[in-house]
């Protein structure tokens, strides 16, 4: 061993390793402990769960293969049923999932912040903007007159970042917003509303629950929303999951999470849908300061019924159809929102047309009033302007010079309002010797009641006319 067999080098390497370990106090590692303990159990709880799940999947796949072989069904159908049974199930949630929102501190903050911000949003929407609401009594009745302990779920389209609380506040009377415990809970993504402790405290104080994007329908945020429903509270959710990508022109398909809130609640909630338009003008994408002077239209629909789905799935052992049940509820909500979207677009188009016609009518009336306010008596043509009978001068001019009279009539521009006859009885010399632009200039000057300006304007008219007569 001492003569080049390699053992002295190994012994020296072991001694060096012991010295290094003692110097840096590195404990010896037994790699056998990384996987199993001395009693043969799995080292960590996570590894145990994953191993149990893998074992269950293998056993289930074997059973599915055997059943498909015996019954003649396809392997694909069996695998699909197996995965559906594993993914969708009814997860019962208690009334208090997270005690943070129900603590005394946050209840005190909510009692102060919710009425203050809610009434400020109400004043902004109804004072600095124009809001037209159709069917608001449906929401008021569901909020005030529903049985005690009956949950309320409202769903709407999502256009702007400030849809909640602006639209919610515009739907409620200010007296209701003084009671914070009756108002809605809503959901917001953690990467937007809960990025730091200050924002987290603020949004929790205004009854906002955190939800993580991409974590599915069984995450803690959805469980918290479900617990509020089980407590008989009001939860508002945007079924689209995010803001509209085309400025509110269309409504994206609803997500399955809203179906879970409806079907997994201990008591079937009252579901009130509403759709709005105009918030894209108040809070455009990329803007942080809301605009004023805009028009918002909100249409509140009738409560959505789900009793037939509950009857069809009365057996709680039917776990395989749970995902189908969520999809049916989600599809029904999305379809109802699409119908309300058509209605609100129709109302917006009608109001836009009425505003346009009203503007044109006002312009016409303003022109007619302007025409009537001209002091035509100062021009010496007072009673002739609105007379339907031709004057003596006009009759003589038609008999003497029919061709020149026709040219003069064509050169005179029509009156600014349809209420005045086209063949206004203007004196013959006015038609022949006055340019139409000069006539309109004198009409504008006639609005001024000062006699001095009227006389100066009349001299400006007579002098060029007399000069032309003298040269002729």
């Amino acid at each position: 061993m001492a003569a080049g067999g390699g053992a002295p080098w190994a012994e020296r390497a072991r001694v060096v390793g012991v010295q290094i370990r003692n110097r840096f106090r590195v404990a010896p590692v037994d790699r056998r402990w990384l996987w199993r303990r001395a009693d043969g159990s799995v080292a960590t709880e996570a590894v145990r769960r994953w191993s149990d799940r893998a074992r269950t999947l293998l056993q289930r796949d074997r059973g599915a293969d055997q059943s498909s072989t015996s019954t003649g069904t396809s392997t694909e159908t069996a695998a699909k049923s197996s995965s559906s049974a594993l993914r969708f199930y009814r997860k019962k949630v208690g009334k208090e999932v997270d005690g943070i929102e129900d603590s005394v501190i946050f209840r005190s903050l909510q009692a102060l912040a919710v009425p203050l911000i809610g009434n400020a949003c109400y004043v902004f929407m109804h004072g600095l903007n124009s809001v037209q609401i159709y069917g608001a009594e449906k929401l008021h009745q569901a909020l005030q007159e529903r049985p005690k302990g009956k949950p309320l779920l409202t769903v709407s389209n999502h256009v702007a970042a400030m849809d909640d609380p602006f639209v919610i506040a515009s739907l409620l009377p200010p007296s209701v917003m003084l009671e914070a415990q009756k108002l809605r809970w809503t959901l917001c993504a953690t990467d937007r509303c809960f990025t730091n402790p200050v924002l987290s405290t603020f949004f929790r104080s205004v009854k906002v629950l955190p939800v993580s994007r991409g974590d599915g329908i069984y995450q803690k945020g959805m469980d918290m929303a479900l617990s509020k429903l089980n407590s008989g509270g009001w939860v508002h959710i945007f079924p689209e999951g995010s803001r509209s990508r085309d400025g509110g022109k269309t409504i994206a398909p609803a997500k399955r999470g809203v179906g879970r809130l409806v079907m997994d609640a201990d008591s079937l909630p009252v579901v009130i849908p509403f759709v709005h338009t105009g918030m894209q003008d108040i809070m455009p994408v990329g803007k942080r300061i809301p605009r004023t002077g805009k028009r918002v239209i909100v249409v509140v629909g009738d409560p959505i019924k789900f009793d037939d789905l509950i009857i069809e799935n009365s057996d709680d052992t039917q776990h395989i159809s749970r995902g189908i049940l969520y999809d049916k509820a989600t599809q029904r909500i999305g379809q109802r929102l699409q119908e309300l979207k058509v209605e609100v677009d129709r109302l917006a188009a009608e109001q836009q047309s009425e505003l346009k016609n009203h503007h044109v009518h006002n312009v016409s009336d303003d022109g007619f009033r302007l025409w009537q306010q001209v002091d035509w008596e100062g021009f010496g043509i007072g009673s002739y302007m609105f007379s339907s009978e031709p004057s003596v001068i006009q009759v003589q001019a038609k008999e003497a010079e029919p061709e020149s009279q026709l040219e003069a009539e064509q050169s005179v521009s029509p009156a600014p309002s349809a209420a005045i006859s086209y063949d206004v009885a203007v004196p013959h010399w006015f038609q022949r010797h006055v340019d139409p632009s000069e006539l309109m200039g004198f009409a504008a000057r006639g609005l001024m009641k000062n006699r001095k300006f009227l006389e100066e304007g009349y001299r400006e008219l007579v002098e060029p006319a007399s000069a032309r007569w003298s040269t002729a």
Side-chain angles (χ1 to χ4, degrees):
M1 293 177 63
W9 293 101
E11 183 67 20
R12 183 176 296 179
R14 187 185 66 79
V15 172
V16 172
V18 171
Q19 292 176 355
I20 294 175
R21 194 163 51 244
N22 293 335
R23 183 175 182 84
F24 294 98
R25 297 179 181 179
V26 178
V29 179
D30 188 357
R31 298 184 180 277
R32 293 176 299 176
W33 286 83
L34 291 176
W35 178 249
R36 292 183 179 276
R37 298 189 177 93
D39 57 356
S41 60
V42 180
T44 62
E45 186 68 19
V47 176
R48 185 188 63 79
R49 289 198 304 267
W50 281 105
S51 62
D52 293 342
R53 181 173 295 182
R55 190 181 301 108
T56 303
L57 287 175
L58 290 175
Q59 294 176 357
R60 186 171 295 158
D61 290 340
R62 290 175 183 175
D65 292 339
Q66 294 175 0
S67 61
S68 63
T69 303
S70 60
T71 58
T73 58
S74 63
T75 306
E76 181 180 0
T77 305
K80 184 176 180 180
S81 301
S82 175
S83 62
S84 177
L86 179 65
R87 182 176 181 183
F88 300 110
Y89 59 95
R90 180 171 185 178
K91 183 179 180 181
K92 294 186 177 181
V93 178
K95 295 183 178 181
E96 293 184 2
V97 174
D98 194 346
I100 296 179
E101 285 75 13
D102 295 328
S103 63
V104 177
I105 297 177
F106 276 98
R107 284 186 178 180
S108 302
L109 292 175
Q110 291 168 5
L112 177 64
V114 172
L116 180 63
I117 296 178
N119 283 278
C121 294
Y122 181 89
V123 172
F124 177 81
M125 292 297 290
H126 289 275
L128 302 180
N129 295 278
S130 176
V131 183
Q132 295 185 352
I133 305 173
Y134 299 87
E137 68 281 355
K138 302 173 185 177
L139 178 60
H140 298 169
Q141 183 178 2
L143 180 61
Q144 301 287 353
E145 301 179 7
R146 73 183 192 277
K148 184 178 181 180
K150 186 72 171 179
L152 173 62
L153 178 66
T154 55
V155 294
S156 71
N157 60 327
H158 197 9
V159 177
M162 298 297 289
D163 288 347
D164 186 349
F166 280 166
V167 178
I168 297 292
S170 66
L171 294 175
L172 302 176
S175 59
V176 176
M177 287 183 285
L178 297 178
E179 304 179 26
Q181 69 275 8
K182 290 186 177 181
L183 297 184
R184 95 289 173 265
W185 291 88
T186 188
L187 302 173
C188 185
T190 54
D191 57 354
R192 291 183 60 88
C193 302
F194 298 88
T195 56
N196 56 64
V198 176
L199 285 178
S200 299
T201 303
F202 171 76
F203 283 105
R204 288 179 186 273
S205 300
V206 292
K207 306 183 71 171
V208 178
L209 302 174
V211 64
S212 300
R213 301 179 190 269
D215 284 0
I217 63 176
Y218 294 110
Q219 60 174 290
K220 185 177 181 180
M222 297 296 294
D223 293 345
M224 295 170 64
L226 197 57
S227 69
K228 303 305 179 185
L229 292 176
N230 293 336
S231 301
W234 172 18
V235 174
H236 177 75
I237 189 173
F238 300 106
E240 298 173 89
S242 60
R243 285 178 294 176
S244 174
R245 300 184 182 276
D246 57 3
K249 296 180 181 179
T250 59
I251 298 181
K255 304 291 185 180
R256 188 180 281 118
V258 66
R260 190 211 164 191
L261 292 181
V262 174
M263 304 311 301
D264 282 1
D266 294 343
S267 177
L268 190 64
V270 179
V271 182
I272 302 294
F274 63 88
V275 174
H276 56 86
T277 184
M279 284 300 299
Q280 64 273 12
D281 299 327
I282 293 180
M283 199 73 179
V285 177
K287 301 295 183 180
R288 296 186 177 181
I289 300 178
R291 299 178 178 179
T292 59
K294 306 300 180 180
R295 181 184 297 271
V296 177
I297 302 175
V298 186
V299 177
V300 182
D302 296 325
I304 305 177
K305 302 298 183 180
F306 299 94
D307 297 333
D308 56 334
L309 299 182
I310 296 297
I311 296 175
E312 292 176 3
N313 197 269
S314 58
D315 188 2
D316 291 338
T317 61
Q318 298 179 359
H319 298 293
I320 296 179
S321 62
R322 201 68 191 175
I324 300 176
L325 194 64
Y326 294 158
D327 292 339
K328 287 183 178 180
T330 302
Q331 183 180 6
R332 187 169 299 183
I333 292 175
Q335 182 179 1
R336 184 55 181 152
L337 291 178
Q338 295 289 348
E339 294 174 357
L340 293 177
K341 175 63 176 174
V342 175
E343 180 69 15
V344 76
D345 289 343
R346 182 186 64 82
L347 292 173
E350 290 179 357
Q351 292 188 7
Q352 188 69 20
S353 178
E354 290 178 1
L355 287 175
K356 185 181 296 184
N357 294 336
H358 182 68
H359 176 71
V360 173
H361 182 67
N362 286 345
V363 171
S364 178
D365 289 346
D366 292 342
F368 180 62
R369 287 193 297 268
L370 176 67
W371 187 264
Q372 288 181 326
Q373 290 176 3
V374 177
D375 189 7
W376 297 107
E377 293 291 344
F379 300 144
I381 56 175
S383 59
Y384 296 103
M385 292 303 300
F386 298 96
S387 175
S388 59
E389 299 180 359
S391 62
V392 179
I393 301 177
Q394 283 184 316
V395 174
Q396 296 176 356
K398 288 181 179 180
E399 295 176 354
E401 300 176 353
E403 296 181 359
S404 61
Q405 175 65 21
L406 180 61
E407 294 177 358
E409 290 179 354
Q410 293 177 351
S411 64
V412 177
S413 59
S417 174
I420 302 176
S421 176
Y422 181 79
D423 54 347
V424 177
V426 181
H428 181 63
W429 67 269
F430 228 69
Q431 294 182 350
R432 295 193 58 184
H433 302 286
V434 178
D435 187 79
S437 61
E438 295 180 357
L439 176 61
M440 295 306 299
F442 278 105
R445 294 188 184 93
L447 292 176
M448 306 176 67
K449 300 301 182 181
N450 194 321
R451 185 69 178 178
K452 177 180 179 181
F453 291 102
L454 291 176
E455 294 176 353
E456 291 180 355
Y458 188 77
R459 284 197 298 269
E460 291 179 1
L461 172 67
V462 174
E463 291 176 359
S466 61
R468 287 194 296 267
W469 292 338
S470 61
T471 56

